[in-house]
Amino acid sequence: MKVLVAVKRVVDYNVKVRVKADQSDVDLANVKMSMNPFCEIAVEEAVRLKEKGVATELVAVSIGPKNAQEQLRTAMALGVDRSILIETDEKVDSLAAAKLLAKVVEEEQPQVVLVGKQSIDTDNNQTAQMLSALTGLAQATFASEVTIEGDKAKVKREIDGGLQTIEVKLPAVISADLRLNEPRYAKLPDIMKAKKKQLDVKSPADYGVELSSNLKTLKVEPPAERSAGIKVDSVEALVDKLKNEAKVV
Amino acid sequence: MSILVVAEHHNSELAPVTANVVAAAKAIGGDIHVLVAGEACQAAADAAAKLDGVSKVLVADKPAYAHQLAENVAQLLGELGKNYTHLLAPATVNGKNIMPRAAALLDVAQISEIISVESADTFKRPIYAGNAIATVQSSDAIKVITVRGTSFDPVADTGAAAVEALAQDTDAGLSSFVGEELAASDRPELTAAGVVVSGGRGVGSAENFELIYKLADKLGGAVGASRAAVDAGYVPNDLQVGQTGKIVAPQLYIAAGISGAIQHLAGMKDSKVIVAINKDEEAPIFQVADYGLVADLFEAVPALEQQL
Ligand SMILES: Cc1cc2nc3c(=O)[nH]c(=O)nc-3n(C[C@H](O)[C@H](O)[C@H](O)COP(=O)(O)OP(=O)(O)OC[C@H]3O[C@@H](n4cnc5c(N)ncnc54)[C@H](O)[C@@H]3O)c2cc1C
Ligand SMILES: Nc1ncnc2c1ncn2[C@@H]1O[C@H](COP(=O)(O)O)[C@@H](O)[C@H]1O
């Protein structure tokens, strides 16, 4: 069984981004970039499916700039067999990403497509759902446990009130939530080996997909600052402030 | 303008956040309908009919919608959506699950988790874990949007809309519901509570979380947690507050044993008053706290509970 994993290059989750002075966007010059944390979880799940003998081939795909090769190499160091970079320097919204991924799904015919639940840059949380709509495949988002049983997958999902279990027909699109697994780190010898693995570079045009978006960002601003608070030196002082100053208790 | 609001509900009950989404719809302006897709969901539909500003409630009462399976509900929205200029749902797990799928079926973008309506086609939404606010404009004929409930004051329930049954029954047959484990609690719902008391890794264990629960109960509040506390198994996943958990904006938020990572702040920064209790005076949580107390939570939390 083939598993496709979608991997996005984003700002590292430890970086506190700043807005550019001209308010056109956030400033990503000289900022550390990494694999989207939810994609790391998706890759880890794919690797575990292979280790369990459920998956036989793992293919990673990324849409992004040339440098996104770094994230694909990381995925291959972790156990992905080969990868595809759909190279573009343009902004790719979730609908366009889903359209491109749908073409890859058509070409590769995976049984399972693993994606992250959310990009930590746009905070969109859309691609998995859109991809499964466009391909007509079943959808299991926010997965915290995945069990493949024959031609079905049983997926435990993190929902607002707790956990829900659904069963989806394969092939299916599954999006990884935080507690699906704990991703491992790549080992040096595997990083070396990954350099020799196959990485095909394509363009959006190769798939006949237009990247134009009907969503335009007019402005990007910093959030409203909270005014600086104070330190209190005792529980008594805190209670006094809450009662008499903030008047919230 | 004609707007369809997708109700959040548990069949027998309408979730309060629906009233916040109707408020966002009113800010856009136009004729507002509410869709209640579920099974045996008449009670939810009747409650939706009372929401101020709603002119019609559409009820799709079919087994296919009983558990809000995304394929089935999105397909219904794909059909109904063509009659509207805007489709709105709360940015709950359900809304996030269904709306992007519906948008793709309609071949339009989806705008996630808006926090303000600037005009009928322009909205503000947080990006980068709330470290930036983007103003986005959509030129799609149908705008599919999820709404952050805490950013809009709920409409009153003084309305009396007509309720109309739909004949559609879209069962995609791709997925099925197996079961759920829902955390039962008498405490107020996290995203709607006036007071939230959250614990982090510093709380140390599930047993110790009793301290947090006690303080919350004293204040009539809800309990929240950081990701670290959830990952460690101290509390269930549905208590996680943050970028990828729940967004809360209570009158009072008390964070105990939470360092204040940006991903956590993303979920609680809009609280009116923030109190931080942490033994590390350098903890970043103090940068957003109105009142910071550098103390051992095992002493401070019970003392606070006593003195309130
Ligand atoms: C993709 C992604 C998404 C994430 N989403 C979220 C999210 O939605 N929500 C979220 O919360 N996190 C999220 N995180 C995790 C986040 O980055 C932090 O790791 C997490 O918030 C830390 O939790 P914490 O503050 O409880 O733990 P820690 O950072 O370990 O802090 C524990 C704090 O407790 C204090 N402490 C210890 N003992 C005591 C004591 N006895 N008395 C008083 N204070 C004490 C310590 O001084 C410390 O400040 C996410 C991370 C990633 C990568
Ligand atoms: N440009 C991209 N390249 C590869 N995968 C992507 C891309 N954009 C989104 N994805 C996948 O979709 C997930 C959710 O992204 P989003 O819908 O943008 O929040 C990510 O974690 C990725 O797995």
Side-chain angles (χ1 to χ4, degrees), chain A residues 80-95:
Chain A
V80 165
D81 299 296
R82 63 183 168 88
S83 41
I84 303 162
L85 172 64
I86 306 175
E87 194 179 312
T88 173
D89 286 325
E90 278 174 59
K91 278 213 164 161
V92 184
D93 70 9
S94 295
L95 183 61

Side-chain angles (χ1 to χ4, degrees), chain B residues 149-175:
Chain B
T150 54
S151 299
F152 296 87
D153 290 330
V155 297
D157 53 2
T158 48
V163 180
E164 188 181 301
L166 292 176
Q168 274 95 338
D169 189 359
T170 49
D171 189 346
L174 291 168
S175 58

Side-chain angles (χ1 to χ4, degrees), chain B residues 40-129:
Chain B
C41 52
Q42 191 60 40
D46 291 341
K50 295 205 182 81
L51 295 176
D52 180 48
V54 175
S55 70
K56 200 194 303 180
V57 175
L58 306 174
V59 193
D61 189 336
K62 296 279 162 16
Y65 308 129
H67 300 286
Q68 305 293 317
L69 291 171
E71 298 89 341
N72 301 354
V73 182
Q75 200 173 319
L76 175 64
L77 284 171
E79 289 177 18
L80 297 176
K82 300 191 177 91
N83 307 325
Y84 295 91
T85 57
H86 297 73
L87 302 184
L88 267 59
T92 53
V93 164
N94 246 333
K96 290 173 180 172
N97 192 33
I98 291 166
M99 297 307 267
R101 188 175 181 101
L105 293 176
L106 293 162
D107 194 26
V108 298
Q110 194 234 212
I111 310 167
S112 296
E113 204 146 2
I114 62 163
I115 57 170
S116 87
V117 173
E118 303 296 300
S119 72
D121 66 3
T122 305
F123 311 92
K124 288 194 181 193
R125 59 175 303 262
I127 52 176
Y128 292 90

Side-chain angles (χ1 to χ4, degrees), chain A residues 5-9 36-40 42 61-64 86 88 92-94 97-98 101 114-130 175-176:
Chain A
V5 200
V7 167
K8 187 176 174 188
R9 175 184 171 89
N36 184 43
F38 290 100
C39 300
E40 291 180 342
V61 53
S62 188
I63 306 152
I86 306 175
T88 173
V92 184
D93 70 9
S94 295
L101 293 172
L114 279 162
V115 299
K117 94 160 174 183
Q118 179 172 338
S119 307
I120 61 161
D121 50 1
T122 61
D123 281 331
N124 264 354
N125 195 334
Q126 301 175 2
T127 306
Q129 298 86 318
M130 289 181 155
S175 85

Side-chain angles (χ1 to χ4, degrees), chain A residues 90-108:
Chain A
E90 278 174 59
K91 278 213 164 161
V92 184
D93 70 9
S94 295
L95 183 61
K99 283 181 178 174
L100 283 165
L101 293 172
K103 295 285 183 188
V104 178
V105 167
E106 200 178 296
E107 206 170 85
E108 297 281 344

